Amino acid sequence: MQQPIKSARSFKRRKRTVTFPYMGQSHAVFKELLINLGNDVVVPPRPNRFTLSLGAEHSPEFACLPLKIITGSYLEAIEKGADTIVSTGGVGPCRAGLYCEIHQFILNELHLDVDLIVLEPPRVDLRDFIGKIEALNANGFSKWHVAKLVWYAWKKIIALDHIERISHRVRAREAVLGSTTKAFKKATAIINQVKTLSDLEEAEQRAEQVLTDVPLKPGFEPLRVGIVGEIYVLLEPSANLEIEETLGEMGVETERSIYLAGWTKESKLFKKPGRKNQERLEQVALSYLGEMIGGHGQDSVAHAIQYAERGFDGVIQLSPFTCIPEIVAKSVLERVSRDFSIPVLSISLDEQTGKAGFVTRLEAFADLLARRHTALQRKNACDDGDPIRQSDEDQLVEPKLSSTAARHYINE
């Protein structure tokens, strides 16, 4: 079953028609980078039901959701003319590190003559990494010029992550439903339209201003929920059924444990895995999960503890169905929930997951958090000898939630 991934020596430098996995806001940056190197680019369509069905049809039945989505994205892009796929590899005890072998097998089975260029972390094999970048360097730029293009792309990804973080804070407080989503699209367009590094800082400020101009509900303090789990389902909205947008429009502020720039930095592609922060996370999770179990399982436990210590109202764990590291983390998170008195909702995603049922679970969880938040506020006020007033309760947890039961509880 396992297919050997070709080394850099197998690829000649030429102008290619390249595609890559669709993940979060990064596709526009990767497109620009590959075009700057002299290639044509086929950006796969945003993953949808057809993408997933296509990927599931050609993937092993018990493969996880990200592999099926990416398979479908590749096949759609190849249909549009892509002759080269660029993807990252992986190390460690997680099936994600074998995605490319499986994709190579699927391409062979379908008799698709496509180059699959897998960029493993440079610290694993620097010569192979440079050789594969050279295969994509159709313009024949010097290594210094290529490094500057990569640095420019990196700074853009950081800017996009920064803008996305702001959108999560603003959306939960927006006065007009959907206004933040419109502003976020405008803000990302401002970043993506930049063509030089020197213009990026000013564009980031303008993009930030677009979001901070969104009218907010005065005095509203939303519930806060931390989202942990596997990287692909966290970063790609189509894979997580737009959980951050959905919760934000319920009046719930979200904070994600993984962003692309942060993950890349902590992964230390050029050095050993980010020891400083990684050691800190391992230390946080130590008494609950002392071993690295692959994927982001240990990180999910550590981040959940950190969210509890920072006073978040709840934690949501997202994972692909059959993801072993997150299954282990889920069993540990039950103890974290008890010890830190913080509600944890674990959601497993696959091609059978429907949006309506998913949203219903989020509404129920948000309702639970709202009731709990109000009860804690009332208890704290009584302990201080200052009984909470009804008007104060309404201000603490605006009944933006959809559940009639929750509104009744909050207002009774």
Side-chain angles (χ1 to χ4, degrees):
M1 171 68 181
Q2 186 168 340
Q3 303 292 306
I5 293 301
K6 296 178 180 176
S7 67
R9 291 192 297 273
S10 303
F11 304 108
K12 294 181 179 179
R13 177 192 292 172
R14 63 176 175 84
K15 182 172 183 177
R16 298 170 179 274
T17 303
V18 185
T19 192
F20 43 79
Y22 191 107
M23 188 166 74
Q25 304 301 320
S26 61
H27 54 89
V29 180
F30 294 141
K31 176 185 176 182
E32 184 180 15
L33 174 61
L34 290 162
I35 289 176
N36 286 340
L37 290 172
N39 300 284
D40 293 328
V41 173
V42 176
V43 177
R46 184 178 189 268
N48 52 36
R49 276 287 163 189
F50 175 76
T51 309
L52 182 53
S53 297
L54 184 63
E57 179 183 349
H58 295 285
S59 301
E61 181 180 359
F62 287 102
C64 53
L65 183 71
L67 184 138
K68 294 175 181 175
I69 292 176
I70 295 171
T71 300
S73 292
Y74 287 166
L75 296 178
E76 286 184 295
I78 292 170
E79 181 69 22
K80 292 177 180 294
D83 62 22
T84 300
I85 296 169
V86 177
S87 183
T88 55
V91 294
C94 175
R95 289 184 294 182
L98 297 174
Y99 275 10
C100 293
E101 281 82 356
I102 298 173
H103 284 135
Q104 186 65 70
F105 177 85
I106 293 171
L107 295 173
N108 292 345
E109 286 289 296
L110 295 175
H111 305 290
L112 294 172
D113 185 19
V114 178
D115 282 346
L116 177 56
I117 298 179
V118 182
L119 301 174
E120 298 288 355
R123 59 186 166 80
V124 174
D125 189 341
L126 181 60
R127 181 176 296 181
D128 185 74
F129 178 82
I130 293 174
K132 288 175 176 175
I133 295 295
E134 280 298 301
L136 295 167
N137 182 14
N139 282 336
F141 290 137
S142 66
K143 290 183 175 59
W144 173 245
H145 190 80
V146 172
K148 287 201 295 184
L149 291 176
V150 172
W151 179 252
Y152 163 61
W154 165 248
K155 299 296 282 187
K156 258 194 169 182
I157 290 173
I158 292 175
L160 287 170
D161 282 355
H162 175 62
I163 295 302
E164 191 174 3
R165 281 191 176 92
I166 295 174
S167 75
H168 297 156
R169 292 198 296 270
V170 172
R171 184 177 287 111
R173 298 170 171 84
E174 65 186 9
V176 180
L177 197 66
S179 55
T180 305
T181 299
K182 291 179 181 177
F184 178 63
K185 290 178 179 176
K186 186 177 179 181
T188 54
I190 290 172
I191 300 290
N192 288 330
Q193 286 167 3
V194 170
K195 298 299 179 186
T196 63
L197 184 60
S198 59
D199 293 333
L200 185 57
E201 184 176 350
E202 188 270 338
E204 187 175 351
Q205 291 174 355
R206 283 194 291 124
E208 186 173 337
Q209 189 62 48
V210 168
L211 283 167
T212 54
D213 284 346
V214 172
L216 305 181
K217 299 167 76 170
F220 176 63
E221 285 300 325
L223 298 167
R224 293 193 303 157
V225 170
I227 302 179
V228 303
E230 190 271 343
I231 183 170
Y232 188 86
V233 297
L234 287 191
L235 264 58
E236 175 47 44
S238 66
N240 63 42
L241 304 177
E242 294 86 24
I243 185 172
E244 288 156 327
E245 184 176 334
T246 301
L247 284 170
E249 293 185 349
M250 289 180 189
V252 178
E253 179 181 340
T254 59
E255 183 175 308
R256 204 165 68 209
S257 62
I258 301 175
Y259 286 82
L260 184 57
W263 172 81
T264 306
K265 187 176 179 181
E266 295 305 332
S267 294
K268 296 288 187 186
L269 294 180
F270 290 89
K271 300 178 181 177
K272 292 182 178 179
R275 300 317 309 167
K276 188 174 181 180
N277 188 56
Q278 195 61 36
E279 285 179 355
R280 184 164 56 82
L281 289 176
E282 290 172 4
Q283 193 64 34
V284 171
L286 184 62
S287 57
Y288 292 88
L289 189 58
E291 297 290 335
M292 198 281 188
I293 57 171
H296 303 278
Q298 194 179 38
D299 293 356
S300 293
V301 173
H303 285 298
I305 293 171
Q306 290 177 330
Y307 286 134
E309 291 176 339
R310 291 170 56 196
F312 275 59
D313 295 287
V315 171
I316 295 178
Q317 179 203 21
L318 293 180
S319 64
F321 180 60
T322 74
C323 177
I324 299 300
E326 294 300 332
I327 289 173
V328 175
K330 178 185 175 183
S331 65
V332 177
L333 286 173
E334 292 174 4
R335 189 152 67 92
V336 172
S337 175
R338 289 195 301 270
D339 291 354
F340 288 85
S341 189
I342 183 169
V344 176
L345 174 64
S346 295
I347 300 178
S348 180
L349 299 162
D350 68 5
E351 60 268 34
Q352 306 299 328
T353 306
K355 182 72 178 278
F358 181 76
V359 172
T360 299
R361 292 187 69 184
L362 296 181
E363 287 176 342
F365 188 62
D367 289 352
L368 180 149
L369 297 184
R371 292 196 299 270
R372 182 174 179 274
H373 184 98
T374 302
L376 288 173
Q377 290 291 327
R378 182 184 293 130
K379 179 178 181 302
N380 292 338
C382 289
D383 290 346
D384 294 340
D386 181 20
I388 194 168
R389 296 170 300 181
Q390 182 64 54
S391 58
D392 293 335
E393 288 192 35
D394 292 341
Q395 194 70 359
L396 289 169
V397 183
E398 180 84 3
K400 195 176 178 180
L401 309 172
S402 61
S403 165
T404 303
R407 289 176 183 161
H408 174 75
Y409 185 92
I410 292 167
N411 292 326
E412 72 182 1

